[in-house]
Amino acid sequence: MSRVGRQTFVYDNPVEIASHVSYVGPKEGKGPLAKWFDVVLEDDLMGQKSWELAESHMLTQCVEQAEAEAGLAKGSAQAFLSGDLNDQIIASSFAARAMQLPFLGLYGACSTFVQALVVGGALISGGFLETALCAASSHFCTAERQFRFPLELGNQRPPAAHWTTTAAGCAAIRAGKSKGGLRLECGTIGRVVDLNITDANNMGAAMAPAVCDCIARHLEDTGRAPEDYDIIATGDLGWVGRNILMELFHRRGLKMPDEVLVDCGASMFYKEQDAHAGGSGCGCIASVSCGMIMKRLEAGEWNRALMVGSGAMLSPTSSMQAQSIPGIAYAVAVGRNE
Amino acid sequence: MSRVGRQTFVYDNPVEIASHVSYVGPKEGKGPLAKWFDVVLEDDLMGQKSWELAESHMLTQCVEQAEAEAGLAKGSAQAFLSGDLNDQIIASSFAARAMQLPFLGLYGACSTFVQALVVGGALISGGFLETALCAASSHFCTAERQFRFPLELGNQRPPAAHWTTTAAGCAAIRAGKSKGGLRLECGTIGRVVDLNITDANNMGAAMAPAVCDCIARHLEDTGRAPEDYDIIATGDLGWVGRNILMELFHRRGLKMPDEVLVDCGASMFYKEQDAHAGGSGCGCIASVSCGMIMKRLEAGEWNRALMVGSGAMLSPTSSMQAQSIPGIAYAVAVGRNE
């Protein structure tokens, strides 16, 4: 419960990850990270009447599985922290309705999963909750319809555009410290940074400055170096945004080893899958964290990871009004107990 | 930091309200509560190019005033917790951009202000933050355009419809216990409840069951009775929803004195102002709490208030897809230090 520096706090009373579950769609299930996901959907409509209901259903299944794997009776978790890209976060609120759980709706665009871990970890470490389900989702078809064009139009996509991942991730967290288990060490709340990018097809560029600011602040607050992490996983900068981030680090005089910084969006698809700059969406870092990252930490392959969620805080209305895109980022450090 | 019952926690390490500021539009400034608001706007466009920018500007001014009145240097608050009804909460994220503060975006529809106090209070009581700015806003013109029809159409409104208030409220909270100051006592996280209301022009009916559930749970968790509060202020049920809520209490066997339960939405306008069921929007309970309620508590007229924010978790998309409207509510108890 101690505070370190301006934007970071440490979870002194131990918080551990009791379970973690990742769901992805068919396209993501053919990408380089396929083997790490728990469930690959065969049909991304999941038998529902609309893409929006499908996304909410995917999220519900993912969260219910995480609750069960954490050894919790159905509906007994003390809080559900979640958000998504749909207007008024209906994928999450409809999932909360299905599960009848006390609900905290969050919105940090594609950073929402990490935001949920940062806030949920504090509520547990502070003694306010004993268990919480931290989650986020996104769906290619809901995001395309809402932010860009109806799929049926078959619009061309510019090279800097992202492919919104169809994915959900949920980590059940609780008070405690099991031998060999994963613990939340500390969390950093980012600031909104806006360097005047107005192109909604270049979200990597819009988010990179906020990610740079958040990581630099996290390292300064904690006195850690990039090498103290086996992996620093950014959310969904894609190839374009990752290159800009490395340039921003360089200008700031922060030495970031190329092999430490992995972008979840840039890693989600093979080049041949035609996803351009890479994956995006709240489900991107959520599914990669709950899949590959937490599994490699548990296996002892890695000892400590920093997950950095990044969000582009635009809306269709703000884009139409020619507003620039504010970026935000949150960071949470996860280690393995002795 | 202790937990009481299933959904309520108590802020054992004291959290106090350092300042509270309310802004409202011209119509709200002619209503029954006019004298309690700090600022009544003459022009609800505030010289901005769009209603969305006006809402964000109103929120920014309100939050900056609260920060200054709390004795904090500009931009020195440790976190800004806020949300609004705009898609992707752009009023709040654009305000966060203007103020360069670490930002936690929240979404609980019209319950968001109370959600921010519940979460912010925990982050302070738990020692994670020393100061936080908890806020929310709404604007009649942004909400009409987004959820209903362009204003220029001059559509008729059914009797159960609400009038989205143009308003913002911000409470600066901090660790500590000043003599005679206001303290956050405890917070309750509500569950999503949906009794199958599908009419987006009857949000009072959609939200009342969640409000009933949250208040009943709060009283059960804390062992308090309605009479332990001088006022139980619900967010924006309006006259229609308030009547349903009293009926739900009756069926549940919970005796709620009529004079204790005040609905902020039902109190916002005179009948002659043609607002039908009453006011709504995130700014409704935010401005009434930061205006009338906290001022009467400080004056010693009241000793303890329960603020119950309520939210209708619908979106234009979910309405078009004929989905019912999930309701949610959060409660926070505020008392006065000796």
Side-chain angles (χ1 to χ4, degrees):
Chain A
M1 306 187 285
S2 58
R3 191 169 174 78
V4 181
R6 176 154 155 72
Q7 288 169 235
T8 304
F9 35 72
V10 175
Y11 304 120
D12 283 341
N13 295 332
V15 183
E16 67 179 2
I17 297 173
S19 68
H20 44 91
V21 176
S22 54
Y23 273 57
V24 297
K27 184 182 175 95
E28 292 73 16
K30 295 189 183 77
L33 304 178
K35 69 171 177 178
W36 298 106
F37 299 120
D38 295 299
V39 175
V40 176
L41 302 177
E42 285 184 25
D43 167 18
D44 58 1
L45 190 54
M46 297 185 82
Q48 302 292 311
K49 279 187 182 173
S50 71
W51 300 117
E52 288 74 17
L53 292 177
E55 180 178 342
S56 191
H57 190 59
M58 170 177 68
L59 177 62
T60 305
Q61 291 210 333
C62 180
V63 176
E64 286 185 344
Q65 187 172 330
E67 190 178 36
E69 289 188 9
L72 293 164
K74 194 169 176 172
S76 71
Q78 291 177 341
F80 170 47
L81 292 83
S82 185
D84 55 87
L85 294 175
N86 291 276
D87 296 343
Q88 289 74 51
I89 61 167
I90 53 170
S92 296
S93 59
F94 283 21
R97 172 174 71 184
M99 295 182 293
Q100 300 266 305
L101 290 168
F103 176 52
L104 286 174
L106 304 174
Y107 187 74
C110 307
S111 71
T112 305
F113 175 71
V114 179
Q115 184 190 4
L117 283 179
V118 168
V119 173
L123 292 177
I124 287 179
S125 186
F128 301 100
L129 300 174
E130 282 161 14
T131 55
L133 300 165
C134 302
S137 69
S138 54
H139 196 299
F140 177 73
C141 302
T142 61
E144 285 297 303
R145 167 149 71 193
Q146 182 178 287
F147 288 103
R148 286 172 278 265
F149 298 98
L151 292 175
E152 294 80 357
L153 280 182
N155 270 64
Q156 275 200 312
R157 304 157 54 79
H162 284 239
W163 187 280
T164 307
T165 53
T166 298
C170 178
I173 59 176
R174 67 184 170 210
K177 192 176 178 180
S178 307
K179 198 179 166 189
L182 301 186
R183 69 173 180 278
L184 299 190
E185 295 182 338
C186 52
T188 301
I189 303 178
R191 291 185 310 122
V192 169
V193 182
D194 187 333
L195 296 191
N196 212 30
I197 301 289
T198 54
D199 181 359
N201 279 310
N202 194 359
M203 291 193 295
M207 295 187 288
V211 172
C212 178
D213 190 76
C214 180
I215 293 176
R217 175 62 68 178
H218 173 84
L219 297 174
E220 196 180 313
D221 284 352
T222 57
R224 291 180 178 176
E227 293 79 5
D228 290 327
Y229 292 102
D230 294 296
I231 177 175
I232 295 179
T234 53
D236 49 359
L237 295 173
W239 291 111
V240 176
R242 187 186 185 281
N243 287 342
I244 295 171
L245 177 64
M246 294 306 270
E247 170 71 21
L248 291 171
F249 282 141
H250 180 72
R251 288 195 200 173
R252 200 165 174 144
L254 196 159
K255 282 187 185 143
M256 177 63 65
D258 195 60
E259 66 280 11
V260 171
L261 193 98
V262 173
D263 184 70
C264 299
S267 311
M268 183 62 84
F269 300 108
Y270 290 112
K271 203 181 167 199
E272 300 73 41
Q273 289 183 281
D274 210 23
H276 298 260
S280 65
C282 306
C284 185
I285 193 169
S287 61
V288 176
S289 296
C290 293
M292 179 181 75
I293 298 174
M294 293 179 189
K295 287 179 180 177
R296 291 175 86 159
L297 284 166
E298 275 175 341
E301 194 179 335
W302 291 336
N303 292 311
R304 188 191 270 164
L306 185 69
M307 275 115 69
V308 188
S310 55
M313 303 296 272
L314 80 171
S315 82
T317 302
S318 71
S319 294
M320 283 194 289
Q321 293 181 359
Q323 286 291 303
S324 58
I325 305 169
I328 192 155
Y330 301 93
V332 69
V334 179
R336 198 176 59 255
N337 295 325
E338 295 295 307
Chain B
M1 305 188 283
S2 58
R3 191 170 175 78
V4 181
R6 178 155 154 72
Q7 289 170 232
T8 304
F9 35 71
V10 176
Y11 305 119
D12 282 342
N13 295 332
V15 182
E16 67 179 2
I17 297 173
S19 68
H20 45 91
V21 176
S22 54
Y23 273 57
V24 297
K27 185 182 174 97
E28 293 72 17
K30 296 190 183 78
L33 304 178
K35 69 171 177 177
W36 297 106
F37 300 119
D38 295 297
V39 175
V40 177
L41 301 177
E42 284 185 26
D43 167 18
D44 59 0
L45 189 54
M46 297 186 81
Q48 301 292 311
K49 279 187 183 175
S50 71
W51 301 117
E52 288 75 17
L53 291 178
E55 180 178 344
S56 190
H57 189 60
M58 171 177 68
L59 176 61
T60 305
Q61 290 210 333
C62 179
V63 176
E64 286 185 343
Q65 187 172 333
E67 191 179 35
E69 289 187 8
L72 292 164
K74 196 168 176 173
S76 71
Q78 291 178 342
F80 170 47
L81 292 83
S82 184
D84 55 85
L85 296 174
N86 292 276
D87 296 342
Q88 288 75 51
I89 61 167
I90 52 168
S92 295
S93 58
F94 282 22
R97 172 175 70 184
M99 294 182 293
Q100 300 266 306
L101 290 167
F103 175 53
L104 287 173
L106 304 173
Y107 187 75
C110 308
S111 71
T112 304
F113 175 70
V114 179
Q115 184 190 4
L117 282 179
V118 168
V119 173
L123 292 177
I124 287 179
S125 187
F128 301 101
L129 299 175
E130 283 162 12
T131 55
L133 301 165
C134 301
S137 69
S138 54
H139 196 298
F140 177 73
C141 303
T142 61
E144 284 297 303
R145 166 149 72 191
Q146 181 178 287
F147 288 103
R148 286 170 281 264
F149 298 99
L151 291 175
E152 293 80 356
L153 279 182
N155 270 66
Q156 274 200 313
R157 305 157 55 80
H162 285 239
W163 187 279
T164 307
T165 53
T166 298
C170 178
I173 59 176
R174 66 184 170 209
K177 192 176 178 179
S178 308
K179 197 180 166 189
L182 301 187
R183 67 173 181 278
L184 299 190
E185 296 182 339
C186 52
T188 301
I189 303 179
R191 292 185 310 121
V192 170
V193 181
D194 187 332
L195 295 191
N196 212 29
I197 302 289
T198 54
D199 181 0
N201 280 310
N202 194 357
M203 291 194 296
M207 295 188 287
V211 172
C212 178
D213 190 77
C214 180
I215 293 176
R217 175 62 69 178
H218 173 84
L219 297 174
E220 195 180 314
D221 284 352
T222 57
R224 291 180 178 175
E227 292 79 5
D228 290 326
Y229 292 101
D230 294 296
I231 177 175
I232 296 179
T234 53
D236 49 359
L237 295 173
W239 290 110
V240 177
R242 187 186 185 281
N243 287 342
I244 295 171
L245 176 64
M246 293 306 271
E247 171 71 22
L248 291 171
F249 282 140
H250 180 72
R251 288 195 201 172
R252 200 166 175 144
L254 195 160
K255 284 190 183 138
M256 177 63 65
D258 195 60
E259 66 280 11
V260 171
L261 193 96
V262 173
D263 185 70
C264 300
S267 311
M268 183 62 85
F269 300 108
Y270 290 111
K271 204 181 167 201
E272 300 72 42
Q273 289 183 283
D274 209 22
H276 297 264
S280 65
C282 306
C284 184
I285 192 169
S287 62
V288 176
S289 296
C290 293
M292 179 182 73
I293 298 174
M294 294 181 189
K295 287 180 180 176
R296 290 174 87 160
L297 284 166
E298 275 175 340
E301 195 179 335
W302 291 337
N303 292 312
R304 189 190 268 165
L306 186 68
M307 274 114 70
V308 188
S310 56
M313 303 295 272
L314 81 170
S315 83
T317 303
S318 71
S319 294
M320 283 194 288
Q321 293 181 359
Q323 286 291 303
S324 58
I325 304 169
I328 191 155
Y330 301 93
V332 69
V334 178
R336 198 178 57 255
N337 295 325
E338 295 295 307

mmCIF file of all heavy atoms in Angstrom, chain B residues 32-64:
data_model
loop_
_atom_site.group_PDB
_atom_site.id
_atom_site.type_symbol
_atom_site.label_atom_id
_atom_site.label_comp_id
_atom_site.label_asym_id
_atom_site.label_seq_id
_atom_site.Cartn_x
_atom_site.Cartn_y
_atom_site.Cartn_z
ATOM 1 N N PRO B 32 -35.252 24.706 -9.049
ATOM 2 C CA PRO B 32 -35.413 24.856 -7.594
ATOM 3 C C PRO B 32 -34.098 24.828 -6.816
ATOM 4 O O PRO B 32 -34.034 25.334 -5.698
ATOM 5 C CB PRO B 32 -36.273 23.641 -7.209
ATOM 6 C CG PRO B 32 -36.829 23.096 -8.469
ATOM 7 C CD PRO B 32 -35.928 23.515 -9.574
ATOM 8 N N LEU B 33 -33.036 24.237 -7.399
ATOM 9 C CA LEU B 33 -31.780 24.093 -6.663
ATOM 10 C C LEU B 33 -30.764 25.172 -7.028
ATOM 11 O O LEU B 33 -29.603 25.105 -6.610
ATOM 12 C CB LEU B 33 -31.177 22.701 -6.931
ATOM 13 C CG LEU B 33 -32.089 21.507 -6.603
ATOM 14 C CD1 LEU B 33 -31.384 20.199 -6.962
ATOM 15 C CD2 LEU B 33 -32.468 21.513 -5.129
ATOM 16 N N ALA B 34 -31.204 26.140 -7.811
ATOM 17 C CA ALA B 34 -30.288 27.126 -8.395
ATOM 18 C C ALA B 34 -29.317 27.734 -7.385
ATOM 19 O O ALA B 34 -28.118 27.859 -7.651
ATOM 20 C CB ALA B 34 -31.083 28.231 -9.076
ATOM 21 N N LYS B 35 -29.815 28.066 -6.204
ATOM 22 C CA LYS B 35 -28.968 28.813 -5.260
ATOM 23 C C LYS B 35 -27.793 28.001 -4.733
ATOM 24 O O LYS B 35 -26.851 28.550 -4.173
ATOM 25 C CB LYS B 35 -29.812 29.331 -4.099
ATOM 26 C CG LYS B 35 -30.332 28.239 -3.172
ATOM 27 C CD LYS B 35 -30.973 28.834 -1.915
ATOM 28 C CE LYS B 35 -31.557 27.739 -1.038
ATOM 29 N NZ LYS B 35 -32.120 28.217 0.204
ATOM 30 N N TRP B 36 -27.860 26.681 -4.902
ATOM 31 C CA TRP B 36 -26.800 25.834 -4.346
ATOM 32 C C TRP B 36 -25.621 25.637 -5.294
ATOM 33 O O TRP B 36 -24.571 25.149 -4.884
ATOM 34 C CB TRP B 36 -27.363 24.458 -3.974
ATOM 35 C CG TRP B 36 -28.405 24.509 -2.911
ATOM 36 C CD1 TRP B 36 -29.755 24.347 -3.077
ATOM 37 C CD2 TRP B 36 -28.213 24.740 -1.515
ATOM 38 N NE1 TRP B 36 -30.409 24.461 -1.880
ATOM 39 C CE2 TRP B 36 -29.478 24.698 -0.898
ATOM 40 C CE3 TRP B 36 -27.085 24.985 -0.723
ATOM 41 C CZ2 TRP B 36 -29.654 24.879 0.473
ATOM 42 C CZ3 TRP B 36 -27.254 25.162 0.634
ATOM 43 C CH2 TRP B 36 -28.530 25.114 1.225
ATOM 44 N N PHE B 37 -25.800 25.935 -6.574
ATOM 45 C CA PHE B 37 -24.712 25.672 -7.527
ATOM 46 C C PHE B 37 -23.669 26.785 -7.471
ATOM 47 O O PHE B 37 -23.991 27.949 -7.282
ATOM 48 C CB PHE B 37 -25.266 25.539 -8.948
ATOM 49 C CG PHE B 37 -26.257 24.409 -9.092
ATOM 50 C CD1 PHE B 37 -27.572 24.649 -9.481
ATOM 51 C CD2 PHE B 37 -25.882 23.098 -8.809
ATOM 52 C CE1 PHE B 37 -28.489 23.614 -9.609
ATOM 53 C CE2 PHE B 37 -26.799 22.057 -8.928
ATOM 54 C CZ PHE B 37 -28.104 22.313 -9.316
ATOM 55 N N ASP B 38 -22.408 26.401 -7.673
ATOM 56 C CA ASP B 38 -21.334 27.390 -7.600
ATOM 57 C C ASP B 38 -21.297 28.278 -8.831
ATOM 58 O O ASP B 38 -21.064 29.472 -8.733
ATOM 59 C CB ASP B 38 -19.980 26.678 -7.424
ATOM 60 C CG ASP B 38 -19.907 25.957 -6.102
ATOM 61 O OD1 ASP B 38 -19.978 26.639 -5.067
ATOM 62 O OD2 ASP B 38 -19.818 24.722 -6.093
ATOM 63 N N VAL B 39 -21.493 27.671 -9.990
ATOM 64 C CA VAL B 39 -21.429 28.441 -11.233
ATOM 65 C C VAL B 39 -22.627 28.077 -12.107
ATOM 66 O O VAL B 39 -22.892 26.890 -12.343
ATOM 67 C CB VAL B 39 -20.113 28.150 -12.007
ATOM 68 C CG1 VAL B 39 -20.112 28.858 -13.364
ATOM 69 C CG2 VAL B 39 -18.900 28.571 -11.179
ATOM 70 N N VAL B 40 -23.353 29.075 -12.573
ATOM 71 C CA VAL B 40 -24.414 28.869 -13.561
ATOM 72 C C VAL B 40 -23.935 29.492 -14.869
ATOM 73 O O VAL B 40 -23.662 30.695 -14.933
ATOM 74 C CB VAL B 40 -25.740 29.527 -13.116
ATOM 75 C CG1 VAL B 40 -26.799 29.360 -14.201
ATOM 76 C CG2 VAL B 40 -26.223 28.918 -11.799
ATOM 77 N N LEU B 41 -23.799 28.650 -15.904
ATOM 78 C CA LEU B 41 -23.308 29.156 -17.190
ATOM 79 C C LEU B 41 -24.367 30.032 -17.849
ATOM 80 O O LEU B 41 -25.553 29.707 -17.831
ATOM 81 C CB LEU B 41 -22.985 27.981 -18.123
ATOM 82 C CG LEU B 41 -21.947 26.969 -17.644
ATOM 83 C CD1 LEU B 41 -21.813 25.842 -18.669
ATOM 84 C CD2 LEU B 41 -20.604 27.635 -17.409
ATOM 85 N N GLU B 42 -23.917 31.134 -18.451
ATOM 86 C CA GLU B 42 -24.859 31.954 -19.219
ATOM 87 C C GLU B 42 -25.082 31.350 -20.595
ATOM 88 O O GLU B 42 -26.159 31.434 -21.169
ATOM 89 C CB GLU B 42 -24.311 33.379 -19.363
ATOM 90 C CG GLU B 42 -24.453 34.184 -18.088
ATOM 91 C CD GLU B 42 -24.006 35.622 -18.293
ATOM 92 O OE1 GLU B 42 -24.055 36.115 -19.435
ATOM 93 O OE2 GLU B 42 -23.608 36.233 -17.287
ATOM 94 N N ASP B 43 -24.003 30.755 -21.132
ATOM 95 C CA ASP B 43 -24.042 30.211 -22.496
ATOM 96 C C ASP B 43 -23.518 28.781 -22.426
ATOM 97 O O ASP B 43 -22.361 28.571 -22.077
ATOM 98 C CB ASP B 43 -23.144 31.074 -23.393
ATOM 99 C CG ASP B 43 -22.886 30.403 -24.730
ATOM 100 O OD1 ASP B 43 -23.638 29.482 -25.099
ATOM 101 O OD2 ASP B 43 -21.901 30.793 -25.393
ATOM 102 N N ASP B 44 -24.365 27.809 -22.768
ATOM 103 C CA ASP B 44 -23.923 26.421 -22.598
ATOM 104 C C ASP B 44 -23.028 25.929 -23.734
ATOM 105 O O ASP B 44 -22.603 24.781 -23.722
ATOM 106 C CB ASP B 44 -25.110 25.474 -22.350
ATOM 107 C CG ASP B 44 -26.114 25.493 -23.476
ATOM 108 O OD1 ASP B 44 -25.894 26.230 -24.452
ATOM 109 O OD2 ASP B 44 -27.124 24.770 -23.372
ATOM 110 N N LEU B 45 -22.725 26.798 -24.703
ATOM 111 C CA LEU B 45 -21.725 26.438 -25.715
ATOM 112 C C LEU B 45 -20.337 26.942 -25.280
ATOM 113 O O LEU B 45 -19.317 26.458 -25.791
ATOM 114 C CB LEU B 45 -22.117 27.023 -27.086
ATOM 115 C CG LEU B 45 -21.317 26.576 -28.308
ATOM 116 C CD1 LEU B 45 -21.286 25.050 -28.438
ATOM 117 C CD2 LEU B 45 -21.871 27.194 -29.584
ATOM 118 N N MET B 46 -20.313 27.845 -24.327
ATOM 119 C CA MET B 46 -19.073 28.333 -23.712
ATOM 120 C C MET B 46 -18.041 28.804 -24.740
ATOM 121 O O MET B 46 -16.833 28.657 -24.519
ATOM 122 C CB MET B 46 -18.458 27.239 -22.822
ATOM 123 C CG MET B 46 -19.348 26.840 -21.654
ATOM 124 S SD MET B 46 -18.531 25.691 -20.524
ATOM 125 C CE MET B 46 -17.540 26.801 -19.516
ATOM 126 N N GLY B 47 -18.502 29.307 -25.855
ATOM 127 C CA GLY B 47 -17.577 29.814 -26.865
ATOM 128 C C GLY B 47 -16.825 28.743 -27.622
ATOM 129 O O GLY B 47 -15.886 29.038 -28.369
ATOM 130 N N GLN B 48 -17.238 27.473 -27.449
ATOM 131 C CA GLN B 48 -16.539 26.379 -28.121
ATOM 132 C C GLN B 48 -17.178 26.090 -29.487
ATOM 133 O O GLN B 48 -18.267 26.559 -29.792
ATOM 134 C CB GLN B 48 -16.597 25.116 -27.254
ATOM 135 C CG GLN B 48 -15.980 25.292 -25.877
ATOM 136 C CD GLN B 48 -14.485 25.472 -25.932
ATOM 137 O OE1 GLN B 48 -13.788 24.720 -26.575
ATOM 138 N NE2 GLN B 48 -13.984 26.496 -25.250
ATOM 139 N N LYS B 49 -16.482 25.259 -30.268
ATOM 140 C CA LYS B 49 -16.954 24.964 -31.616
ATOM 141 C C LYS B 49 -18.021 23.886 -31.655
ATOM 142 O O LYS B 49 -18.711 23.723 -32.665
ATOM 143 C CB LYS B 49 -15.772 24.486 -32.476
ATOM 144 C CG LYS B 49 -14.918 25.590 -33.032
ATOM 145 C CD LYS B 49 -13.898 24.969 -33.988
ATOM 146 C CE LYS B 49 -12.950 26.031 -34.524
ATOM 147 N NZ LYS B 49 -11.898 25.410 -35.350
ATOM 148 N N SER B 50 -18.095 23.057 -30.621
ATOM 149 C CA SER B 50 -19.075 21.962 -30.619
ATOM 150 C C SER B 50 -19.577 21.758 -29.197
ATOM 151 O O SER B 50 -18.937 22.167 -28.222
ATOM 152 C CB SER B 50 -18.436 20.660 -31.137
ATOM 153 O OG SER B 50 -17.517 20.156 -30.184
ATOM 154 N N TRP B 51 -20.737 21.102 -29.081
ATOM 155 C CA TRP B 51 -21.293 20.796 -27.767
ATOM 156 C C TRP B 51 -20.347 19.883 -26.985
ATOM 157 O O TRP B 51 -20.217 19.998 -25.768
ATOM 158 C CB TRP B 51 -22.653 20.110 -27.905
ATOM 159 C CG TRP B 51 -23.671 20.919 -28.638
ATOM 160 C CD1 TRP B 51 -24.279 20.609 -29.830
ATOM 161 C CD2 TRP B 51 -24.231 22.183 -28.226
ATOM 162 N NE1 TRP B 51 -25.170 21.602 -30.184
ATOM 163 C CE2 TRP B 51 -25.167 22.574 -29.222
ATOM 164 C CE3 TRP B 51 -24.033 23.018 -27.132
ATOM 165 C CZ2 TRP B 51 -25.897 23.756 -29.137
ATOM 166 C CZ3 TRP B 51 -24.752 24.193 -27.047
ATOM 167 C CH2 TRP B 51 -25.671 24.562 -28.033
ATOM 168 N N GLU B 52 -19.687 18.964 -27.702
ATOM 169 C CA GLU B 52 -18.776 18.036 -27.022
ATOM 170 C C GLU B 52 -17.604 18.788 -26.394
ATOM 171 O O GLU B 52 -17.211 18.524 -25.247
ATOM 172 C CB GLU B 52 -18.273 16.974 -28.012
ATOM 173 C CG GLU B 52 -19.310 15.945 -28.436
ATOM 174 C CD GLU B 52 -20.352 16.480 -29.424
ATOM 175 O OE1 GLU B 52 -20.115 17.549 -30.038
ATOM 176 O OE2 GLU B 52 -21.410 15.841 -29.582
ATOM 177 N N LEU B 53 -17.049 19.733 -27.147
ATOM 178 C CA LEU B 53 -15.941 20.517 -26.595
ATOM 179 C C LEU B 53 -16.437 21.395 -25.445
ATOM 180 O O LEU B 53 -15.713 21.626 -24.471
ATOM 181 C CB LEU B 53 -15.291 21.373 -27.692
ATOM 182 C CG LEU B 53 -14.523 20.594 -28.768
ATOM 183 C CD1 LEU B 53 -13.977 21.552 -29.825
ATOM 184 C CD2 LEU B 53 -13.379 19.790 -28.160
ATOM 185 N N ALA B 54 -17.683 21.873 -25.561
ATOM 186 C CA ALA B 54 -18.249 22.693 -24.475
ATOM 187 C C ALA B 54 -18.371 21.873 -23.195
ATOM 188 O O ALA B 54 -18.018 22.331 -22.101
ATOM 189 C CB ALA B 54 -19.612 23.246 -24.891
ATOM 190 N N GLU B 55 -18.863 20.630 -23.324
ATOM 191 C CA GLU B 55 -19.000 19.787 -22.130
ATOM 192 C C GLU B 55 -17.638 19.545 -21.483
ATOM 193 O O GLU B 55 -17.473 19.638 -20.264
ATOM 194 C CB GLU B 55 -19.671 18.449 -22.467
ATOM 195 C CG GLU B 55 -19.804 17.573 -21.234
ATOM 196 C CD GLU B 55 -20.500 16.251 -21.497
ATOM 197 O OE1 GLU B 55 -21.161 16.093 -22.537
ATOM 198 O OE2 GLU B 55 -20.375 15.354 -20.629
ATOM 199 N N SER B 56 -16.643 19.249 -22.324
ATOM 200 C CA SER B 56 -15.311 18.975 -21.791
ATOM 201 C C SER B 56 -14.710 20.231 -21.137
ATOM 202 O O SER B 56 -14.052 20.150 -20.099
ATOM 203 C CB SER B 56 -14.407 18.470 -22.919
ATOM 204 O OG SER B 56 -13.199 17.984 -22.394
ATOM 205 N N HIS B 57 -14.999 21.379 -21.735
ATOM 206 C CA HIS B 57 -14.494 22.640 -21.193
ATOM 207 C C HIS B 57 -15.144 22.941 -19.833
ATOM 208 O O HIS B 57 -14.463 23.346 -18.879
ATOM 209 C CB HIS B 57 -14.792 23.763 -22.185
ATOM 210 C CG HIS B 57 -14.137 25.064 -21.842
ATOM 211 N ND1 HIS B 57 -12.774 25.217 -21.743
ATOM 212 C CD2 HIS B 57 -14.659 26.285 -21.567
ATOM 213 C CE1 HIS B 57 -12.494 26.468 -21.418
ATOM 214 N NE2 HIS B 57 -13.622 27.131 -21.298
ATOM 215 N N MET B 58 -16.457 22.705 -19.744
ATOM 216 C CA MET B 58 -17.165 22.899 -18.464
ATOM 217 C C MET B 58 -16.574 21.992 -17.389
ATOM 218 O O MET B 58 -16.308 22.419 -16.250
ATOM 219 C CB MET B 58 -18.655 22.586 -18.656
ATOM 220 C CG MET B 58 -19.472 22.527 -17.378
ATOM 221 S SD MET B 58 -21.240 22.235 -17.710
ATOM 222 C CE MET B 58 -21.211 20.538 -18.359
ATOM 223 N N LEU B 59 -16.334 20.729 -17.750
ATOM 224 C CA LEU B 59 -15.765 19.773 -16.798
ATOM 225 C C LEU B 59 -14.365 20.217 -16.371
ATOM 226 O O LEU B 59 -14.025 20.192 -15.170
ATOM 227 C CB LEU B 59 -15.726 18.379 -17.438
ATOM 228 C CG LEU B 59 -15.079 17.266 -16.616
ATOM 229 C CD1 LEU B 59 -15.813 17.034 -15.308
ATOM 230 C CD2 LEU B 59 -15.037 15.964 -17.431
ATOM 231 N N THR B 60 -13.560 20.634 -17.338
ATOM 232 C CA THR B 60 -12.191 21.072 -17.030
ATOM 233 C C THR B 60 -12.203 22.241 -16.046
ATOM 234 O O THR B 60 -11.467 22.245 -15.046
ATOM 235 C CB THR B 60 -11.461 21.493 -18.324
ATOM 236 O OG1 THR B 60 -11.504 20.415 -19.254
ATOM 237 C CG2 THR B 60 -9.999 21.858 -18.042
ATOM 238 N N GLN B 61 -13.064 23.226 -16.320
ATOM 239 C CA GLN B 61 -13.121 24.400 -15.435
ATOM 240 C C GLN B 61 -13.563 24.006 -14.031
ATOM 241 O O GLN B 61 -13.030 24.482 -13.029
ATOM 242 C CB GLN B 61 -14.093 25.428 -16.018
ATOM 243 C CG GLN B 61 -13.552 26.077 -17.290
ATOM 244 C CD GLN B 61 -14.055 27.495 -17.475
ATOM 245 O OE1 GLN B 61 -15.134 27.850 -17.004
ATOM 246 N NE2 GLN B 61 -13.280 28.323 -18.138
ATOM 247 N N CYS B 62 -14.542 23.111 -13.964
ATOM 248 C CA CYS B 62 -15.061 22.659 -12.676
ATOM 249 C C CYS B 62 -13.965 21.942 -11.880
ATOM 250 O O CYS B 62 -13.769 22.201 -10.688
ATOM 251 C CB CYS B 62 -16.256 21.734 -12.935
ATOM 252 S SG CYS B 62 -17.011 21.066 -11.450
ATOM 253 N N VAL B 63 -13.225 21.065 -12.554
ATOM 254 C CA VAL B 63 -12.183 20.287 -11.875
ATOM 255 C C VAL B 63 -11.021 21.184 -11.462
ATOM 256 O O VAL B 63 -10.480 21.057 -10.355
ATOM 257 C CB VAL B 63 -11.708 19.126 -12.780
ATOM 258 C CG1 VAL B 63 -10.560 18.365 -12.127
ATOM 259 C CG2 VAL B 63 -12.865 18.183 -13.091
ATOM 260 N N GLU B 64 -10.650 22.100 -12.338
ATOM 261 C CA GLU B 64 -9.548 23.012 -11.990
ATOM 262 C C GLU B 64 -9.924 23.884 -10.792
ATOM 263 O O GLU B 64 -9.084 24.150 -9.920
ATOM 264 C CB GLU B 64 -9.178 23.880 -13.205
ATOM 265 C CG GLU B 64 -8.413 23.089 -14.263
ATOM 266 C CD GLU B 64 -7.930 23.937 -15.427
ATOM 267 O OE1 GLU B 64 -8.429 25.068 -15.608
ATOM 268 O OE2 GLU B 64 -7.051 23.453 -16.171
#
